[in-house]
């Protein structure tokens, strides 16, 4: 088991998160994690079944949102979302879903559950600076007009807002553009023209992580603080917080401890003035950590299910961080621990977002299990 004397002292923790329509990064203080000596159980050889048909009931009514799920139940039910209620919303705030070109299932999810989202952001675009007041947009070969039309048929109110990455920009590029009214006006004009020509509703602009990483100093507590948030909140539609990736391979542990998620929101907007503009980030992927070489890698839904089938682990619940995890052992590969979202962990984060008055953002559609979307 991954453990550590983790008290989550929010007064001492600095935080790491992304904010989009801007993309923001903060430094994160991580609690130490160690591998325990618990041996993984040997799995039986019996093949575990998966339901092929969708359900008439959602996961709540089927009693699946629990702290003690069984591996066999996750395997059996994970594809079986409620087909009768794909348009029914349980979360009233804004819901942003990211989609990547390398994950086709995300495109399908957006069409099936489009009515549950208010914003869809395909990760398509880059902008390059070619000189003074000269900008080039790339990635349009990924833009799928037919898919956009299909998504809009599912939901009349959904907005498609592709992400734009500032590709190859140096700190000097940012300084030159943001310090010049002519440059800002030309870049803005190009972006508006692009949106009109391609039938986009706006953009998610990922800039702060790039700019902040180049400007960051050793003694700086965070690259985006309440000060910057207050300056931008009146002119930015939404901020997408990356309230996950809390841990790292050299310090393995949970993806998004619930007290830390709360603190990430409250430190930016303690007076709840702009909470409706904050999109609390949910990861629909997990991490698989190995005891050998302090390594770890992301794990998506398909491999998560295969790992459950192969090792049939006991899934454990950590009440403090509000996440599930399990351990398994590879032949000659040492012990592993997997932290991956579950119906219960997602439900608690949705409840937290409702309590705080925020929306949510999901990275990324298609990486999770299909029945997750019953919760939205």
């Amino acid at each position: 088991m991954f453990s550590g004397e983790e008290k989550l002292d929010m007064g001492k923790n600095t935080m790491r998160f992304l904010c989009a329509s801007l993309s923001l990064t903060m430094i994160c203080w991580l609690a130490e994690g160690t591998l325990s000596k618990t041996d993984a159980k040997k799995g039986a050889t019996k093949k575990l079944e998966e339901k092929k048909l969708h359900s008439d009931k959602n996961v709540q009514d089927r009693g699946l949102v629990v702290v003690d799920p069984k591996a066999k139940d996750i395997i059996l039910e994970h594809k079986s979302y409620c087909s009768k209620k794909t348009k029914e919303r349980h979360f009233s705030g804004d819901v942003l879903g990211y989609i990547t070109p390398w994950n086709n299932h995300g495109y399908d999810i957006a069409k099936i559950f489009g009515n549950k989202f208010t914003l869809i952001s395909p990760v398509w675009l880059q902008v390059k600076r070619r000189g003074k007041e000269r900008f080039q947009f790339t990635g349009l070969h990924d833009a799928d007009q037919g898919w956009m039309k299909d998504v809009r048929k599912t939901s009349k109110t959904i907005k498609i807002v592709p992400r734009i990455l500032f590709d190859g920009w140096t700190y000097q590029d940012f300084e030159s553009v943001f310090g010049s009214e002519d440059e800002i006006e030309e870049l803005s004009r190009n972006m508006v023209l692009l949106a009109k020509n391609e039938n986009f509703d706006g953009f998610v602009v990922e800039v702060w992580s790039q700019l902040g990483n180049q400007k960051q100093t050793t003694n700086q507590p965070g690259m985006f603080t309440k000060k910057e948030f207050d300056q931008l909140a009146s002119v930015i539609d939404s901020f997408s917080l990356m309230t996950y990736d809390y841990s790292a391979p050299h310090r393995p542990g949970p993806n998004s401890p619930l007290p830390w998620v709360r603190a990430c929101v409250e430190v930016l907007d303690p007076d709840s003035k702009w909470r409706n503009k904050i999109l609390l980030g949910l990861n629909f992927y997990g991490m698989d950590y190995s005891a050998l070489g302090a390594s770890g890698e992301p794990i998506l839904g398909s491999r998560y299910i295969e790992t459950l089938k192969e090792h049939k682990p006991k899934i454990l619940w950590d009440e403090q961080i509000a996440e599930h995890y399990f351990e398994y052992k590879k032949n000659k590969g040492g012990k592993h621990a997997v932290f991956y979202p579950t119906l219960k962990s997602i439900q608690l984060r949705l409840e937290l977002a409702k309590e705080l008055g925020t929306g949510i953002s999901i990275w990324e559609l298609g990486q999770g299990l299909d029945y997750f979307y019953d919760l939205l």
Side-chain angles (χ1 to χ4, degrees), residues 308-363:
L308 292 181
K309 287 180 179 179
E310 181 178 356
H311 298 282
K312 304 173 183 62
K314 181 178 181 180
I315 299 173
L316 304 174
W317 174 250
D318 188 308
E319 187 70 31
Q320 183 183 23
I321 63 175
E323 285 188 33
H324 284 103
Y325 65 96
F326 66 81
E327 299 172 341
Y328 71 94
K329 189 173 183 180
K330 279 188 175 180
N331 292 332
K332 300 180 181 179
K335 289 185 179 180
H336 285 243
V338 172
F339 290 80
Y340 188 87
T342 59
L343 292 169
K344 185 63 177 181
S345 70
I346 294 170
Q347 181 64 39
L348 289 177
R349 281 149 185 80
L350 291 173
E351 290 173 4
L352 177 63
K354 291 177 184 177
E355 176 194 338
L356 295 174
T358 72
I360 61 168
S361 57
I362 299 169
W363 186 276

Side-chain angles (χ1 to χ4, degrees), residues 200-213:
F200 300 148
D201 297 302
F203 299 100
V204 170
V205 182
E206 182 164 352
V207 57
W208 205 274
S209 60
Q210 297 169 273
L211 175 61
N213 283 335

Side-chain angles (χ1 to χ4, degrees), residues 74-87:
I74 295 175
I75 295 166
L76 179 66
E77 300 282 355
H78 73 97
K79 290 183 180 179
S80 185
Y81 60 85
C82 181
S83 58
K84 289 187 175 182
K85 298 183 179 180
T86 56
K87 294 182 180 296

